[in-house]
Amino acid sequence: MRTLLGTVLLLLTLTACGARSDSGATSSSPSSSSSASVPAPPPPSQTVGRPTQGIAPGDDVIAESQVDARSLPEGYPRSLTRSLDGKTLTLQAEEGGCRHISARVGEQTAQQVVVLIAVSSAKKGQMCPDYIREITVPLALTEPLGTRTVVLHQG
C-alpha cells in the first residue's frame, strides 16, 4: 500500500513539473519571437561638452573659459549654470553624509564676479550617514553676468 501511494505521488509530481515546463515553453516562445522584431536602441548621443541632465529649463551652462577655478582646492564644486536673463548663477554640487556645501557672491566688478564656496566636513572619527544628493545653490547678481569672468574662491 505504501509503495502504491509513493508511486502515485511521484507520478503526480512529475506530471505537474512537466506541465509547468510545457506552459513556460509556450509562453516564452511568443515573447522571444517578438523581442527579435524590436529594433536595436539608437547609438549614444554624440553631443560633447554640454551636460544634458541636471539643468533646469531656462538655464544655460557657463563656458569653462568664463570660469576661473584655479584657486579652488581639489574636490570643490565647479559646475555653474546661469539663468537666461544672466542675473542668477546656480552652483551645482553633490553633498552628503557630513559634507555640506554653501556659496555666496563676493565682489562684483565690470570684469569679474567672485563666488566664495565653502565645504564643511565632519570632525575626524565622527560617524556620517552614507548618502549623496545633488544640490543647487542660487547666487543672485546685481547685474547680468554677460561676458564677465566668474572667479571661484574657497571661503
Side-chain angles (χ1 to χ4, degrees):
M1 184 70 161
R2 283 186 184 171
T3 307
L4 180 62
L5 184 59
T7 305
V8 170
L9 287 175
L10 179 63
L11 285 173
L12 285 174
T13 304
L14 291 173
T15 305
C17 290
R20 279 193 203 139
S21 67
D22 288 342
S23 68
T26 52
S27 68
S28 67
S29 176
S31 66
S32 65
S33 66
S34 67
S35 67
S37 64
V38 175
S45 173
Q46 300 300 317
T47 306
V48 178
R50 294 242 179 222
T52 57
Q53 297 178 357
I55 298 175
D59 285 355
D60 188 25
V61 175
I62 299 172
E64 287 182 27
S65 61
Q66 197 173 354
V67 178
D68 179 0
R70 292 177 291 178
S71 68
L72 274 185
E74 189 69 31
Y76 273 60
R78 291 167 165 77
S79 179
L80 290 168
T81 59
R82 67 172 153 217
S83 61
L84 288 181
D85 67 4
K87 289 187 175 184
T88 303
L89 301 180
T90 302
L91 177 71
Q92 297 176 321
E94 289 182 346
E95 71 175 14
C98 294
R99 178 187 158 134
H100 300 283
I101 310 291
S102 62
R104 63 185 174 87
V105 177
E107 180 184 10
Q108 299 182 54
T109 67
Q111 292 78 30
Q112 67 181 21
V113 173
V114 175
V115 175
L116 302 166
I117 301 173
V119 176
S120 63
S121 299
K123 298 175 187 171
K124 189 173 183 175
Q126 178 180 343
M127 298 278 295
C128 296
D130 187 18
Y131 74 91
I132 294 177
R133 67 181 180 143
E134 290 187 28
I135 64 162
T136 56
V137 181
L139 304 160
L141 303 178
T142 56
E143 296 293 325
L145 180 62
T147 59
R148 295 187 288 173
T149 301
V150 180
V151 182
L152 303 178
H153 285 295
Q154 181 179 3

